[in-house]
């Protein structure tokens, strides 16, 4: 008997109609005889009554004044509401089901409220319930410290709950149900002809997720990869097979050789470029700048160190603090807000000539300036103005023929 972890995201649970689709997937696997653990997110997206963002909105009028511990208690309500509602739907269909909070499901975390890490999963209770014939519904995105405090795992953390449970239970597969047909060659909200990929390696999707493709949380992929648990990203609203995420070796053994030069695009908005000029001859400018950023927990990217100074990026949310720090050190930084980072990703681009040439040509032909670039074995990053983002993504998608990608 297979053991399947199914995870349903916010949009899959937002209204009566979508919850009927969720029910259909549970019934199908249940009737096929699989043992089921169902992980749920809070219902809906920002603006909808019980969504995580709407819970956060409740305290905004108080200037968000709430200690981190209590904030996690507030945030964990969203998943509890959707889990109990789903339980009621299953009961009405005559399907025996039980709801467990993260803590009740045995998910133990450290005490970093708001971004807790899972340290252990005690599976006895879930094992007992599934062997007694229950569908076990677990509230995603949360766990409990060893001394019983409720924690949350960071935004998008239900994916992590699902793969961590999959790994701990040694599930046959983790099915991540969402509102798109799988992992696409780019975010379909930005590239209208993005196409679903039938297979990707853990490494490739991890890379896409770390670079902004929020279809699955990067930590969730890392956990699945370590445990070699296959993950399928698929649509709640269809019967499509979606995208299978597994290791390159497993795919090669099925004759699927997928180290494509370019697999897909990802992007991150809300990036600020900072430039600091070293006007005073040789100095320790670089050291002082990066030490100040590190001391204040500001994550830096696109780092370019030159004898004349440094250029790097920070997130929009860290911009004011970064500027204050630089001014405090006596620098007058050049600040360019409103940038976006575009990542061109492919497991097979290493040693393949001409990838950067295609990028430069596509962007130049569209009149889009590249503000900075960087590269690794599997990714080329370019920094652009956010105003150019939509056109840049579309141009690059077309230039690499991703709209034609054979699946
Ligand atoms: P859920 O509520 O199901 O967790 P998310 O909003 O977190 O859903 O993730 C699904 C969204 O991820 C899609 O609606 C899509 O806009 C976005 N997305 C970004 N990049 C990609 C990609 N490469 N493939 C598929 N979806 C993507
Ligand atoms: N509800 C949480 C969030 O919105 C967790 C998740 O959706 O994965 O971040
Ligand atoms: Mg999500």
């Amino acid at each position: 008997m297979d053991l399947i972890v199914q995870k349903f995201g916010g949009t899959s649970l937002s209204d009566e109609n979508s919850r009927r689709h969720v029910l259909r997937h549970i019934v199908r696997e249940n009737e096929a005889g699989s043992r089921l653990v169902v992980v749920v997110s809070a219902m809906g997206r920002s603006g909808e009554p019980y969504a995580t963002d709407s819970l956060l909105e409740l305290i905004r009028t108080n200037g968000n004044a709430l200690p981190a511990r209590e904030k996690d208690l507030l945030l964990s309500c969203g998943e509890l509401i959707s889990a109990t509602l789903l339980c009621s739907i299953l009961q009405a269909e005559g399907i025996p089901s039980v709801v467990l909070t993260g803590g009740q499901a045995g998910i133990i975390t450290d005490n970093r409220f708001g971004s807790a890490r899972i340290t252990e999963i005690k599976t006895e209770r879930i094992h007992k319930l599934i062997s007694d014939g229950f569908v076990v519904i677990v509230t995603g995105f949360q766990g409990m410290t060893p001394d019983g405090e409720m924690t949350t795992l960071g935004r998008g953390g239900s994916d992590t709950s699902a793969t961590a449970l999959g790994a701990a239970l040694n599930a046959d597969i983790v099915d991540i149900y969402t509102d798109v047909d799988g992992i696409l060659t780019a975010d379909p909200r930005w590239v209208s002809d993005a196409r679903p990929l039938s297979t990707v390696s853990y490494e490739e999707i991890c890379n896409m997720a770390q670079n902004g493709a929020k279809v699955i949380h990067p930590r969730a992929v890392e956990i699945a990869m370590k445990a070699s648990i296959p993950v399928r990203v698929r649509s709640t609203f269809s019967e499509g097979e979606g995208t299978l995420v597994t290791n390159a070796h497993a795919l090669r053994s099925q004759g699927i050789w997928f180290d494509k030069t370019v697999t897909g695009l990802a992007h991150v908005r809300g990036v600020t470029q900072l430039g600091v000029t070293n006007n005073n001859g040789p100095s320790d400018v670089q050291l002082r700048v990066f030490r100040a950023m590190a001391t204040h927990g500001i994550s830096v990217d696109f780092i370019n160190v030159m004898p004349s100074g440094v250029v790097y990026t920070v997130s929009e949310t860290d911009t004011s603090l970064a500027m204050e720090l630089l001014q405090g050190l006596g620098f007058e930084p050049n600040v360019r807000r409103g940038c976006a980072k575009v990542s061109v990703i492919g497991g097979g681009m290493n040693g393949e000539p001409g990838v950067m040439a295609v990028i430069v040509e596509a962007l130049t032909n569209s009149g889009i300036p590249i503000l900075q670039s960087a590269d690794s074995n599997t990714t080329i990053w370019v920094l652009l103005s956010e105003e150019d983002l939509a056109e840049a993504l579309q141009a690059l998608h077309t230039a690499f023929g991703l709209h034609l990608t054979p699946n």
Side-chain angles (χ1 to χ4, degrees):
M1 248 210 301
D2 281 354
L3 197 164
I4 300 179
V5 176
Q6 297 181 316
K7 179 256 168 175
F8 294 96
T11 45
S12 302
L13 293 154
S14 62
D15 59 24
E16 198 68 44
N17 177 47
S18 51
R19 292 191 285 269
R20 288 287 124 196
H21 287 281
V22 168
L23 176 64
R24 184 165 49 79
H25 295 294
I26 296 175
V27 167
R28 185 193 61 238
E29 302 296 359
N30 195 41
E31 286 180 350
S34 301
R35 294 167 297 156
L36 288 182
V37 174
V38 179
V39 176
V40 292
S41 291
M43 302 187 313
R45 285 215 170 104
S46 182
E48 296 180 64
Y50 310 108
T52 305
D53 284 310
S54 311
L55 298 173
L56 280 173
E57 194 59 29
L58 293 172
I59 55 168
R60 208 160 66 101
T61 44
N62 310 322
N64 298 318
L66 191 64
R69 174 184 173 276
E70 281 69 19
K71 202 170 181 181
D72 272 6
L73 287 174
L74 171 66
L75 289 181
S76 55
C77 296
E79 271 68 16
L80 202 46
I81 293 171
S82 59
T84 45
L85 175 54
L86 181 60
C87 183
S88 160
I89 293 168
L90 296 187
Q91 298 289 326
E93 291 293 316
I95 301 173
S97 55
V98 173
V99 173
L100 299 178
T101 64
Q104 289 167 345
I107 301 178
I108 310 297
T109 72
D110 61 21
N111 62 0
R112 273 183 276 180
F113 295 107
S115 58
R117 294 288 176 135
I118 298 173
T119 52
E120 186 190 355
I121 301 189
K122 297 179 177 162
T123 54
E124 301 80 20
R125 190 163 179 187
I126 296 189
H127 272 308
K128 168 91 176 66
L129 286 166
I130 46 182
S131 59
D132 287 348
F134 289 97
V135 170
V136 179
I137 304 170
V138 180
T139 54
F141 175 54
Q142 56 177 250
M144 191 169 271
T145 65
D147 48 1
E149 298 290 353
M150 198 92 139
T151 51
T152 64
L153 308 178
R155 300 303 306 271
S158 297
D159 296 331
T160 309
S161 308
T163 58
L165 282 168
L169 296 164
N170 197 22
D172 292 278
I173 195 154
V174 177
D175 275 331
I176 305 278
Y177 286 91
T178 185
D179 62 344
V180 287
D181 286 333
I183 297 167
L184 278 71
T185 46
D187 186 340
R189 286 184 226 176
W190 288 79
V191 177
S192 55
D193 54 1
R195 289 171 53 111
L197 297 155
S198 61
T199 48
V200 292
S201 65
Y202 294 118
E203 288 84 359
E204 279 179 307
I205 184 53
C206 209
N207 197 350
M208 284 178 81
Q210 274 160 352
N211 283 296
K214 90 183 245 293
V215 61
I216 185 165
H217 197 289
R219 204 185 301 160
V221 184
E222 281 162 20
I223 292 172
M225 176 160 61
K226 255 193 206 147
S228 288
I229 301 288
V231 174
R232 195 181 287 279
V233 178
R234 57 198 300 184
S235 171
T236 302
F237 305 98
S238 77
E239 291 299 325
E241 287 287 289
T243 305
L244 178 67
V245 186
T246 182
N247 60 48
H249 179 71
L251 291 170
R252 282 190 197 116
S253 67
Q254 294 166 39
I256 303 169
W257 193 272
F258 65 97
D259 275 351
K260 299 180 201 107
T261 306
V262 174
T263 306
L265 308 177
H267 69 274
V268 179
R269 294 159 68 198
V271 178
T272 300
Q273 187 188 42
L274 295 170
V276 179
T277 311
N278 176 14
N279 288 324
N280 307 319
S283 88
D284 58 350
V285 52
Q286 296 111 356
L287 191 60
R288 291 196 299 150
V289 167
F290 293 117
R291 192 182 285 149
M293 299 299 125
T295 311
H296 291 81
I298 298 178
S299 155
V300 295
D301 198 6
F302 266 115
I303 304 155
N304 203 339
V305 179
M306 297 154 288
S308 55
V310 294
V311 183
Y312 63 100
T313 62
V314 297
S315 72
E316 171 59 38
T317 43
D318 286 334
T319 302
S320 305
L321 176 58
M323 283 171 62
E324 267 172 43
L325 292 169
L326 292 172
Q327 282 156 356
L329 291 171
F331 297 117
E332 280 175 33
N334 289 319
V335 182
R336 190 197 289 260
R337 291 180 188 264
C339 300
K341 171 178 160 180
V342 172
S343 308
V344 177
I345 295 158
M349 74 167 60
N350 194 17
E352 192 75 24
V355 181
M356 189 62 186
V358 175
I359 295 174
V360 171
E361 194 178 330
L363 296 178
T364 308
N365 287 345
S366 304
I368 298 171
I370 298 174
L371 307 176
Q372 249 181 288
S373 72
D375 66 281
S376 77
N377 282 351
T378 56
T379 310
I380 294 178
W381 296 274
V382 285
L383 188 71
L384 315 158
S385 164
E386 237 182 90
E387 282 170 11
D388 294 327
L389 179 60
E391 202 182 341
L393 287 170
Q394 191 61 65
L396 291 169
H397 198 263
T398 307
F400 284 106
L402 294 174
H403 56 307
L404 311 168
T405 311
N407 285 296

